[in-house]
Amino acid sequence: MSKAKRLLDILMFANAKRKFTAQEIADEFKISIRTVHRYILDLSDMGLPIYAVQGRNGGYTVLSNRLLPPILFTEEEAVSIFFAFQSLNYYRNLPFDTEISSVENKLYSSLPNDAKVKVDKIRSYIAFWNPKRTIDTPLLKDVLEASIENRNLHIQYESKTGMKAKHIRPIGVYAHDGLWYLPAYDFSKQKILLHRLDRILSILSTENNEDEFMNLEEWFSSNEVKRPIRLHVILSIEGVLQCKSVPSFEGLVETKEDGTGYIDSDIDQGEISFITPLFFRLGKDARVLEPQKLIDDLHLKAKEILTIYQGNK
């Protein structure tokens, strides 16, 4: 057996055991104690976080940041993984940004020179674009870990009405349009609300839960309409294109042969405040017929704008 294969086998053994003696490795692989010590030094030089414990009950211990055994990728697989990481470049904060940067550098460095040339050339012709945000989300990783570990949070949150203390049970985090969002159960409101993660100013305290709660995947799939209201909108050709670019509307737009279209579907009443800015921005390219609440909100927004500019005639 080659030395490289033997080292790989011992690496996998050490990762699985975490704590072991030289004699255990010698017995497992039918090699001498002296050879075991030499292999352990080689693995340590390769970066395996391992240290020796002296004494009668001594041995070796692998630290928590364990190394995975080598994984063989084809050149095309390595390039595809590299560009998957590139899609995250437009986010100012990521839960594991340091680790992602390290993996990206390792992948690029491992490519042969001709593959590096290919990657560099592809970079000039493809991009996974998102709006480049300058807003920091320093608590992103902490909130994600609280979601995974099933912990409630007491937070300071900056809402549109000012700073307030909130008691929430996070469901998970997701990125959209260059920003990070947190759906969480609000104990005071007794319902799930959507929060902007950059508006969480601090985490005051945490508490563990014994029971299980829904996760982000379950929340996405159970996004049912609880208070249905009809949304009926006539769209121009541009209105159709704009609405189809909004994920929540993409499946609701019906297109006619001439390129115009309409939306005629039930939505939840709670969504009206979120969709008002979109239809205001669309202007004459979207004529809202229902609900009346949305029409009233659009009137109010238009009056607010007119009030600002009335003195400039």
Side-chain angles (χ1 to χ4, degrees), residues 174-255:
Y174 70 90
H176 174 65
D177 204 23
L179 296 172
W180 287 94
Y181 294 89
L182 166 71
Y185 181 81
D186 187 302
F187 285 97
S188 63
K189 302 285 188 181
Q190 296 188 341
K191 63 180 179 180
I192 295 173
L193 299 176
L194 194 60
H195 304 78
R196 280 261 300 270
L197 256 168
D198 57 278
R199 292 180 179 170
I200 299 179
L201 304 180
S202 64
I203 296 176
L204 303 175
S205 63
T206 67
E207 57 198 29
N208 295 323
N209 289 293
E210 296 298 329
D211 61 318
E212 292 296 323
F213 196 52
M214 72 165 60
N215 56 38
L216 188 68
E217 184 179 11
E218 292 167 340
W219 180 72
F220 277 133
S221 62
S222 66
N223 206 358
E224 61 186 65
V225 177
K226 295 180 180 179
R227 296 178 298 158
I229 191 169
R230 185 187 184 195
L231 175 65
H232 191 191
V233 186
I234 305 300
L235 301 169
S236 68
I237 296 174
E238 179 63 22
V240 167
L241 295 174
Q242 291 289 334
C243 286
K244 281 189 173 182
S245 69
V246 178
S248 57
F249 283 164
E250 186 179 7
L252 303 181
V253 178
E254 298 290 340
T255 307

Coordinates of all heavy atoms in Angstrom, one line a residue, residues 174-255:
Y174 N -32.9 34.1 5.4 CA -32.7 34.0 4.0 C -32.3 35.3 3.3 O -32.6 36.4 3.9 CB -34.0 33.4 3.3 CG -35.2 34.4 3.3 CD1 -35.4 35.2 2.2 CD2 -36.1 34.4 4.3 CE1 -36.5 36.1 2.2 CE2 -37.2 35.2 4.3 CZ -37.4 36.1 3.2 OH -38.5 36.9 3.2
A175 N -31.7 35.2 2.2 CA -31.2 36.4 1.5 C -32.1 36.7 0.3 O -32.6 35.8 -0.4 CB -29.8 36.2 1.0
H176 N -32.4 38.0 0.1 CA -33.2 38.4 -1.0 C -32.8 39.9 -1.4 O -32.8 40.7 -0.5 CB -34.7 38.3 -0.7 CG -35.6 38.9 -1.8 ND1 -35.6 38.4 -3.1 CD2 -36.4 40.0 -1.8 CE1 -36.5 39.1 -3.8 NE2 -36.9 40.1 -3.1
D177 N -32.5 40.1 -2.7 CA -32.3 41.4 -3.2 C -31.1 42.1 -2.4 O -31.1 43.3 -2.2 CB -33.5 42.3 -3.1 CG -33.5 43.4 -4.1 OD1 -32.8 43.3 -5.1 OD2 -34.2 44.4 -3.8
G178 N -30.1 41.3 -2.1 CA -28.9 41.8 -1.4 C -29.1 42.1 0.1 O -28.2 42.5 0.8
L179 N -30.3 41.7 0.7 CA -30.5 41.9 2.1 C -30.8 40.5 2.8 O -31.2 39.6 2.1 CB -31.6 42.9 2.4 CG -31.4 44.3 1.9 CD1 -32.7 45.1 2.0 CD2 -30.3 45.0 2.7
W180 N -30.6 40.5 4.1 CA -30.9 39.3 4.9 C -32.2 39.5 5.7 O -32.4 40.5 6.3 CB -29.8 38.9 5.8 CG -28.6 38.4 5.1 CD1 -27.5 39.1 4.6 CD2 -28.4 37.0 4.7 NE1 -26.6 38.2 4.0 CE2 -27.1 37.0 4.0 CE3 -29.1 35.8 4.9 CZ2 -26.6 35.8 3.5 CZ3 -28.6 34.6 4.3 CH2 -27.3 34.6 3.7
Y181 N -33.1 38.5 5.7 CA -34.3 38.5 6.4 C -34.5 37.4 7.4 O -33.9 36.3 7.2 CB -35.5 38.5 5.4 CG -35.6 39.7 4.5 CD1 -34.9 39.7 3.3 CD2 -36.3 40.8 4.9 CE1 -34.9 40.8 2.5 CE2 -36.3 41.9 4.0 CZ -35.6 41.9 2.8 OH -35.7 43.1 2.0
L182 N -35.3 37.6 8.4 CA -35.5 36.7 9.5 C -37.0 36.5 9.8 O -37.6 37.4 10.4 CB -34.8 37.1 10.8 CG -35.2 36.4 12.1 CD1 -34.6 34.9 12.0 CD2 -34.6 37.1 13.3
P183 N -37.6 35.5 9.4 CA -39.0 35.2 9.9 C -38.9 34.6 11.3 O -38.1 33.7 11.5 CB -39.6 34.2 8.9 CG -38.4 33.5 8.3 CD -37.2 34.5 8.3
A184 N -39.7 35.2 12.2 CA -39.6 34.7 13.6 C -41.0 34.9 14.3 O -41.7 35.8 13.9 CB -38.5 35.5 14.3
Y185 N -41.2 34.0 15.2 CA -42.5 34.1 16.0 C -42.3 35.2 17.0 O -41.3 35.2 17.8 CB -42.8 32.8 16.7 CG -44.1 32.8 17.5 CD1 -45.3 32.7 16.8 CD2 -44.1 33.0 18.8 CE1 -46.5 32.7 17.6 CE2 -45.2 33.1 19.6 CZ -46.4 32.9 18.9 OH -47.6 33.0 19.7
D186 N -43.2 36.2 17.0 CA -43.1 37.3 17.9 C -44.1 37.0 19.1 O -45.3 36.8 18.9 CB -43.6 38.6 17.2 CG -43.4 39.8 18.1 OD1 -44.0 39.9 19.2 OD2 -42.7 40.8 17.7
F187 N -43.5 36.8 20.3 CA -44.3 36.4 21.4 C -45.3 37.5 21.8 O -46.4 37.1 22.3 CB -43.4 36.1 22.6 CG -42.7 34.7 22.5 CD1 -41.4 34.7 22.0 CD2 -43.3 33.6 22.8 CE1 -40.7 33.5 21.8 CE2 -42.7 32.3 22.6 CZ -41.4 32.3 22.1
S188 N -45.0 38.7 21.7 CA -46.0 39.8 22.1 C -47.1 39.9 21.0 O -48.3 40.1 21.4 CB -45.3 41.1 22.2 OG -44.7 41.5 21.0
K189 N -46.8 39.7 19.7 CA -47.9 39.8 18.7 C -48.6 38.4 18.5 O -49.6 38.4 17.9 CB -47.2 40.2 17.4 CG -46.5 41.6 17.4 CD -47.5 42.7 17.4 CE -46.8 44.0 17.3 NZ -47.7 45.2 17.3
Q190 N -47.9 37.4 19.0 CA -48.4 36.0 18.9 C -48.6 35.6 17.4 O -49.6 35.0 17.0 CB -49.7 35.8 19.7 CG -49.5 36.0 21.2 CD -50.8 35.6 22.0 OE1 -51.9 35.6 21.4 NE2 -50.6 35.4 23.3
K191 N -47.7 35.9 16.6 CA -47.7 35.5 15.2 C -46.3 35.6 14.6 O -45.4 36.3 15.2 CB -48.7 36.3 14.4 CG -48.4 37.8 14.3 CD -49.4 38.5 13.5 CE -49.2 40.0 13.4 NZ -50.2 40.7 12.6
I192 N -46.1 35.0 13.4 CA -44.8 35.1 12.8 C -44.7 36.4 12.0 O -45.6 36.7 11.2 CB -44.6 33.9 11.9 CG1 -44.5 32.6 12.7 CG2 -43.3 34.0 11.0 CD1 -44.5 31.3 11.9
L193 N -43.6 37.1 12.2 CA -43.4 38.4 11.5 C -42.0 38.3 10.8 O -41.1 37.5 11.2 CB -43.4 39.5 12.5 CG -44.7 39.8 13.3 CD1 -44.4 40.9 14.3 CD2 -45.8 40.1 12.3
L194 N -41.9 39.1 9.7 CA -40.6 39.1 9.0 C -39.8 40.3 9.5 O -40.3 41.4 9.5 CB -41.0 39.3 7.5 CG -39.8 39.0 6.5 CD1 -39.3 37.6 6.7 CD2 -40.3 39.2 5.1
H195 N -38.5 40.1 9.7 CA -37.6 41.1 10.3 C -36.4 41.3 9.3 O -36.0 40.3 8.7 CB -37.1 40.7 11.6 CG -38.1 40.4 12.7 ND1 -38.8 39.2 12.7 CD2 -38.6 41.1 13.7 CE1 -39.7 39.2 13.7 NE2 -39.6 40.4 14.3
R196 N -36.0 42.5 9.2 CA -34.7 42.8 8.5 C -33.6 42.5 9.5 O -33.5 43.1 10.5 CB -34.7 44.2 8.0 CG -35.5 44.5 6.7 CD -34.5 44.6 5.5 NE -33.5 45.6 5.7 CZ -33.7 46.9 5.3 NH1 -34.8 47.2 4.7 NH2 -32.7 47.7 5.4
L197 N -32.6 41.7 9.1 CA -31.6 41.3 10.0 C -30.6 42.5 10.3 O -30.1 42.5 11.4 CB -30.8 40.1 9.4 CG -31.0 38.8 10.1 CD1 -30.4 37.7 9.2 CD2 -30.5 38.7 11.5
D198 N -30.5 43.4 9.4 CA -29.6 44.5 9.6 C -30.2 45.5 10.7 O -29.5 46.4 11.2 CB -29.3 45.3 8.3 CG -30.5 45.7 7.6 OD1 -31.1 44.9 6.9 OD2 -30.9 46.9 7.8
R199 N -31.5 45.3 10.9 CA -32.1 46.2 11.9 C -32.1 45.6 13.3 O -32.6 46.3 14.3 CB -33.6 46.5 11.5 CG -33.7 47.4 10.2 CD -35.1 47.6 9.8 NE -35.1 48.5 8.6 CZ -36.2 48.7 7.9 NH1 -37.4 48.2 8.3 NH2 -36.2 49.5 6.9
I200 N -31.5 44.4 13.5 CA -31.3 43.9 14.8 C -30.1 44.5 15.4 O -29.0 44.3 14.9 CB -31.2 42.4 14.8 CG1 -32.5 41.8 14.3 CG2 -30.9 41.8 16.2 CD1 -32.5 40.2 14.2
L201 N -30.2 45.4 16.4 CA -29.1 46.2 16.9 C -28.3 45.4 17.9 O -27.0 45.5 18.0 CB -29.6 47.5 17.5 CG -30.4 48.4 16.6 CD1 -30.8 49.6 17.4 CD2 -29.6 48.7 15.4
S202 N -28.9 44.5 18.7 CA -28.2 43.7 19.7 C -29.0 42.5 20.1 O -30.3 42.6 20.0 CB -27.8 44.6 20.9 OG -29.0 45.0 21.6
I203 N -28.4 41.5 20.6 CA -29.0 40.4 21.2 C -28.8 40.5 22.7 O -27.7 40.4 23.2 CB -28.5 39.0 20.7 CG1 -28.7 38.9 19.2 CG2 -29.1 37.9 21.5 CD1 -28.1 37.6 18.6
L204 N -30.0 40.7 23.4 CA -29.9 41.0 24.9 C -29.7 39.7 25.7 O -28.9 39.6 26.6 CB -31.1 41.7 25.3 CG -31.5 43.0 24.6 CD1 -32.8 43.6 25.1 CD2 -30.3 44.0 24.9
S205 N -30.4 38.6 25.3 CA -30.3 37.3 26.0 C -30.9 36.3 25.1 O -31.6 36.5 24.1 CB -30.9 37.4 27.3 OG -32.3 37.6 27.2
T206 N -30.6 35.0 25.5 CA -31.2 33.9 24.8 C -31.7 32.9 25.8 O -31.4 32.9 26.9 CB -30.1 33.2 23.9 OG1 -29.2 32.5 24.8 CG2 -29.4 34.1 23.0
E207 N -32.6 32.0 25.3 CA -33.1 30.9 26.1 C -33.4 29.7 25.3 O -33.8 29.8 24.1 CB -34.4 31.4 26.8 CG -35.5 31.9 25.9 CD -36.6 32.7 26.6 OE1 -36.2 33.4 27.6 OE2 -37.7 32.7 26.1
N208 N -33.2 28.5 25.8 CA -33.4 27.3 25.1 C -34.8 26.8 25.1 O -35.6 27.2 26.0 CB -32.5 26.2 25.7 CG -31.0 26.5 25.6 OD1 -30.6 27.0 24.5 ND2 -30.3 26.1 26.6
N209 N -35.2 26.1 24.1 CA -36.5 25.5 24.0 C -36.4 24.0 24.0 O -35.5 23.4 23.5 CB -37.2 25.9 22.7 CG -37.6 27.4 22.6 OD1 -38.5 27.8 23.4 ND2 -37.0 28.1 21.8
E210 N -37.4 23.4 24.7 CA -37.5 21.9 24.7 C -38.2 21.4 23.5 O -37.9 20.3 23.0 CB -38.1 21.5 26.0 CG -37.4 21.8 27.3 CD -36.0 21.2 27.4 OE1 -35.8 20.0 26.8 OE2 -35.1 21.8 28.0
D211 N -39.2 22.1 23.1 CA -40.1 21.6 22.0 C -39.5 22.1 20.7 O -38.7 23.0 20.6 CB -41.5 22.1 22.2 CG -41.6 23.6 22.1 OD1 -40.7 24.3 22.8 OD2 -42.5 24.2 21.5
E212 N -39.9 21.4 19.6 CA -39.5 21.7 18.3 C -40.4 22.8 17.6 O -41.6 22.8 18.0 CB -39.4 20.5 17.4 CG -38.4 19.5 17.8 CD -37.0 20.0 17.6 OE1 -36.7 20.8 16.6 OE2 -36.1 19.7 18.4
F213 N -39.9 23.5 16.7 CA -40.7 24.5 16.0 C -40.4 24.4 14.5 O -39.5 23.7 14.1 CB -40.3 25.9 16.5 CG -41.3 27.0 16.2 CD1 -42.7 26.8 16.5 CD2 -40.9 28.2 15.6 CE1 -43.6 27.8 16.2 CE2 -41.9 29.2 15.3 CZ -43.2 29.0 15.6
M214 N -41.2 25.1 13.7 CA -41.0 24.9 12.3 C -39.6 25.6 11.9 O -39.1 26.5 12.5 CB -42.1 25.6 11.5 CG -42.1 27.1 11.5 SD -43.2 27.8 10.3 CE -44.8 27.1 10.7
N215 N -39.0 25.0 10.8 CA -37.8 25.6 10.3 C -38.1 26.4 9.0 O -39.3 26.5 8.6 CB -36.8 24.5 10.0 CG -37.3 23.5 9.0 OD1 -38.0 23.8 8.1 ND2 -36.9 22.2 9.3
L216 N -37.1 27.0 8.4 CA -37.3 27.9 7.3 C -38.0 27.2 6.1 O -38.9 27.7 5.5 CB -36.0 28.5 6.9 CG -36.1 29.6 5.8 CD1 -36.8 30.9 6.4 CD2 -34.7 30.0 5.3
E217 N -37.5 26.0 5.8 CA -38.1 25.2 4.7 C -39.6 25.0 4.9 O -40.4 25.1 4.0 CB -37.3 23.9 4.6 CG -37.7 23.0 3.4 CD -37.0 21.8 3.3 OE1 -36.2 21.4 4.3 OE2 -37.1 21.1 2.3
E218 N -40.0 24.6 6.1 CA -41.4 24.4 6.4 C -42.2 25.7 6.4 O -43.3 25.7 5.9 CB -41.5 23.8 7.8 CG -40.9 22.4 7.9 CD -40.8 21.9 9.4 OE1 -40.7 22.7 10.3 OE2 -40.7 20.7 9.6
W219 N -41.6 26.8 6.8 CA -42.3 28.1 6.7 C -42.5 28.5 5.3 O -43.6 29.0 5.0 CB -41.4 29.1 7.4 CG -42.1 30.5 7.4 CD1 -43.1 30.9 8.1 CD2 -41.6 31.6 6.6 NE1 -43.4 32.3 7.8 CE2 -42.5 32.7 6.9 CE3 -40.6 31.8 5.7 CZ2 -42.4 34.0 6.3 CZ3 -40.5 33.1 5.1 CH2 -41.4 34.1 5.4
F220 N -41.5 28.3 4.4 CA -41.8 28.6 3.0 C -42.9 27.8 2.4 O -43.7 28.3 1.6 CB -40.5 28.4 2.2 CG -39.5 29.5 2.2 CD1 -38.1 29.2 2.5 CD2 -39.9 30.8 2.0 CE1 -37.2 30.3 2.5 CE2 -39.0 31.8 2.1 CZ -37.6 31.6 2.3
S221 N -42.9 26.5 2.7 CA -43.9 25.6 2.1 C -45.3 25.8 2.7 O -46.3 25.4 2.1 CB -43.5 24.1 2.3 OG -43.4 23.8 3.6
S222 N -45.4 26.4 3.9 CA -46.7 26.5 4.6 C -47.2 28.0 4.6 O -48.0 28.4 5.4 CB -46.6 26.1 6.1 OG -45.8 27.0 6.8
N223 N -46.7 28.8 3.6 CA -47.1 30.2 3.5 C -48.5 30.3 2.9 O -48.7 30.8 1.8 CB -46.0 30.9 2.6 CG -45.9 32.4 3.0 OD1 -46.6 32.8 3.9 ND2 -45.0 33.1 2.3
E224 N -49.5 29.8 3.7 CA -50.8 29.8 3.2 C -51.5 31.2 3.4 O -51.1 32.0 4.2 CB -51.6 28.7 3.9 CG -51.7 29.0 5.4 CD -52.3 27.8 6.2 OE1 -51.8 26.7 6.2 OE2 -53.4 28.0 6.7
V225 N -52.6 31.4 2.6 CA -53.3 32.6 2.7 C -54.4 32.4 3.8 O -55.3 31.7 3.6 CB -54.0 32.9 1.3 CG1 -54.9 34.2 1.4 CG2 -52.9 33.1 0.2
K226 N -54.2 33.2 4.9 CA -55.1 33.0 6.0 C -56.3 34.0 5.9 O -57.4 33.8 6.4 CB -54.4 33.2 7.3 CG -53.4 32.1 7.5 CD -52.6 32.2 8.8 CE -51.6 31.1 9.0 NZ -50.8 31.3 10.3
R227 N -56.0 35.2 5.4 CA -57.1 36.3 5.3 C -57.1 36.7 3.8 O -56.6 37.7 3.4 CB -56.7 37.5 6.1 CG -56.7 37.2 7.6 CD -56.3 38.4 8.4 NE -55.0 38.9 8.1 CZ -54.5 40.1 8.3 NH1 -55.3 41.0 8.8 NH2 -53.3 40.4 8.0
P228 N -57.8 35.9 3.0 CA -57.7 36.1 1.5 C -58.4 37.4 1.1 O -59.5 37.7 1.6 CB -58.4 34.8 0.9 CG -59.3 34.3 2.0 CD -58.6 34.7 3.3
I229 N -57.8 38.0 0.1 CA -58.4 39.2 -0.5 C -58.0 39.2 -2.0 O -56.9 38.7 -2.3 CB -58.0 40.5 0.2 CG1 -58.8 41.6 -0.3 CG2 -56.5 40.7 0.0 CD1 -58.6 42.9 0.5
R230 N -59.0 39.6 -2.9 CA -58.7 39.5 -4.3 C -57.8 40.6 -4.7 O -58.0 41.8 -4.4 CB -60.0 39.6 -5.1 CG -59.9 39.4 -6.6 CD -61.2 39.7 -7.3 NE -61.1 39.4 -8.7 CZ -62.0 39.8 -9.6 NH1 -63.0 40.5 -9.2 NH2 -61.8 39.5 -10.9
L231 N -56.7 40.2 -5.5 CA -55.8 41.1 -6.2 C -56.1 41.1 -7.7 O -55.9 40.0 -8.3 CB -54.4 40.8 -5.9 CG -53.4 41.7 -6.6 CD1 -53.4 43.1 -6.2 CD2 -51.9 41.1 -6.4
H232 N -56.6 42.2 -8.2 CA -57.0 42.2 -9.6 C -56.3 43.4 -10.2 O -56.6 44.6 -9.9 CB -58.5 42.3 -9.8 CG -58.9 42.1 -11.2 ND1 -60.2 42.3 -11.7 CD2 -58.2 41.6 -12.3 CE1 -60.3 42.0 -13.0 NE2 -59.1 41.6 -13.4
V233 N -55.3 43.2 -11.1 CA -54.5 44.3 -11.7 C -54.4 44.1 -13.2 O -54.1 43.0 -13.7 CB -53.1 44.3 -11.1 CG1 -52.3 45.5 -11.6 CG2 -53.2 44.3 -9.6
I234 N -54.6 45.1 -14.0 CA -54.4 45.1 -15.4 C -53.0 45.6 -15.7 O -52.6 46.7 -15.2 CB -55.4 46.0 -16.2 CG1 -56.9 45.6 -15.8 CG2 -55.2 45.9 -17.7 CD1 -57.2 44.2 -16.1
L235 N -52.2 44.9 -16.5 CA -50.8 45.2 -16.7 C -50.5 45.5 -18.2 O -51.0 44.8 -19.1 CB -50.0 44.0 -16.3 CG -50.1 43.5 -14.8 CD1 -49.4 42.2 -14.6 CD2 -49.5 44.6 -13.9
S236 N -49.7 46.5 -18.4 CA -49.1 46.7 -19.7 C -48.0 45.7 -20.0 O -47.7 44.9 -19.2 CB -48.6 48.1 -19.8 OG -47.4 48.2 -19.0
I237 N -47.4 45.8 -21.2 CA -46.3 44.9 -21.5 C -45.2 45.1 -20.5 O -44.6 44.1 -20.0 CB -45.8 45.1 -23.0 CG1 -46.9 44.8 -24.0 CG2 -44.6 44.3 -23.2 CD1 -46.5 45.2 -25.4
E238 N -44.9 46.3 -20.2 CA -43.8 46.6 -19.2 C -44.2 46.1 -17.8 O -43.4 45.6 -17.1 CB -43.5 48.1 -19.2 CG -42.4 48.5 -18.2 CD -41.1 47.9 -18.4 OE1 -40.8 47.5 -19.6 OE2 -40.3 47.7 -17.5
G239 N -45.5 46.3 -17.5 CA -46.0 45.8 -16.2 C -45.9 44.3 -16.1 O -45.6 43.8 -15.0
V240 N -46.2 43.6 -17.1 CA -46.0 42.1 -17.1 C -44.6 41.7 -16.8 O -44.3 40.9 -16.0 CB -46.5 41.5 -18.5 CG1 -46.1 40.0 -18.6 CG2 -48.0 41.6 -18.6
L241 N -43.6 42.4 -17.6 CA -42.2 42.1 -17.4 C -41.8 42.4 -16.0 O -41.0 41.6 -15.4 CB -41.4 42.9 -18.4 CG -41.6 42.5 -19.9 CD1 -40.8 43.5 -20.8 CD2 -41.2 41.1 -20.1
Q242 N -42.2 43.5 -15.4 CA -41.8 43.9 -14.1 C -42.3 43.0 -13.0 O -41.6 42.5 -12.1 CB -42.2 45.3 -13.8 CG -41.5 46.4 -14.6 CD -40.1 46.6 -14.2 OE1 -39.7 46.3 -13.0 NE2 -39.2 47.0 -15.1
C243 N -43.6 42.6 -13.2 CA -44.2 41.7 -12.2 C -43.7 40.3 -12.2 O -43.5 39.6 -11.2 CB -45.7 41.7 -12.3 SG -46.6 43.2 -11.8
K244 N -43.3 39.8 -13.4 CA -42.7 38.5 -13.5 C -41.3 38.5 -12.9 O -40.8 37.4 -12.6 CB -42.6 38.1 -15.0 CG -44.0 37.6 -15.5 CD -43.8 37.0 -16.9 CE -45.1 36.3 -17.4 NZ -45.0 35.7 -18.7
S245 N -40.7 39.6 -12.7 CA -39.4 39.6 -12.1 C -39.4 39.6 -10.6 O -38.4 39.5 -9.9 CB -38.6 40.9 -12.6 OG -39.1 42.1 -12.0
V246 N -40.7 39.7 -10.0 CA -40.9 39.7 -8.6 C -41.3 38.2 -8.2 O -42.3 37.7 -8.7 CB -42.0 40.6 -8.1 CG1 -42.2 40.5 -6.6 CG2 -41.7 42.1 -8.5
P247 N -40.4 37.5 -7.4 CA -40.7 36.1 -7.1 C -42.1 35.8 -6.6 O -42.7 34.8 -7.1 CB -39.6 35.8 -6.0 CG -38.5 36.7 -6.3 CD -39.2 38.0 -6.7
S248 N -42.7 36.6 -5.8 CA -44.0 36.4 -5.2 C -45.1 36.5 -6.2 O -46.2 36.1 -6.0 CB -44.3 37.2 -4.0 OG -44.1 38.6 -4.3
F249 N -44.8 37.2 -7.4 CA -45.9 37.5 -8.4 C -45.7 36.6 -9.6 O -46.6 36.5 -10.4 CB -45.8 38.9 -8.8 CG -46.5 39.9 -7.9 CD1 -46.3 41.2 -7.9 CD2 -47.3 39.4 -6.8 CE1 -46.9 42.1 -7.0 CE2 -47.9 40.3 -5.9 CZ -47.7 41.6 -6.0
E250 N -44.5 36.0 -9.7 CA -44.1 35.3 -11.0 C -45.2 34.3 -11.4 O -45.6 34.3 -12.6 CB -42.8 34.6 -10.8 CG -42.3 33.9 -12.1 CD -40.9 33.3 -11.8 OE1 -40.5 33.2 -10.7 OE2 -40.4 32.8 -12.8
G251 N -45.8 33.5 -10.5 CA -46.8 32.5 -10.9 C -48.2 33.1 -11.0 O -49.1 32.3 -11.3
L252 N -48.4 34.4 -10.7 CA -49.7 34.9 -10.7 C -50.0 35.7 -12.0 O -51.2 36.0 -12.3 CB -49.9 35.9 -9.5 CG -49.6 35.3 -8.1 CD1 -49.9 36.4 -7.0 CD2 -50.5 34.1 -7.8
V253 N -49.0 36.0 -12.7 CA -49.2 36.9 -13.9 C -49.7 36.0 -15.1 O -49.1 35.0 -15.5 CB -47.9 37.6 -14.3 CG1 -48.1 38.4 -15.6 CG2 -47.4 38.5 -13.2
E254 N -50.8 36.5 -15.7 CA -51.3 35.8 -16.9 C -51.0 36.8 -18.1 O -51.3 38.0 -18.0 CB -52.8 35.6 -16.8 CG -53.3 34.7 -15.6 CD -52.9 33.3 -15.9 OE1 -52.7 32.9 -17.1 OE2 -52.9 32.5 -14.9
T255 N -50.4 36.2 -19.1 CA -50.0 37.0 -20.3 C -50.9 36.7 -21.5 O -51.2 35.6 -21.8 CB -48.5 36.7 -20.6 OG1 -47.7 36.8 -19.4 CG2 -48.0 37.6 -21.7

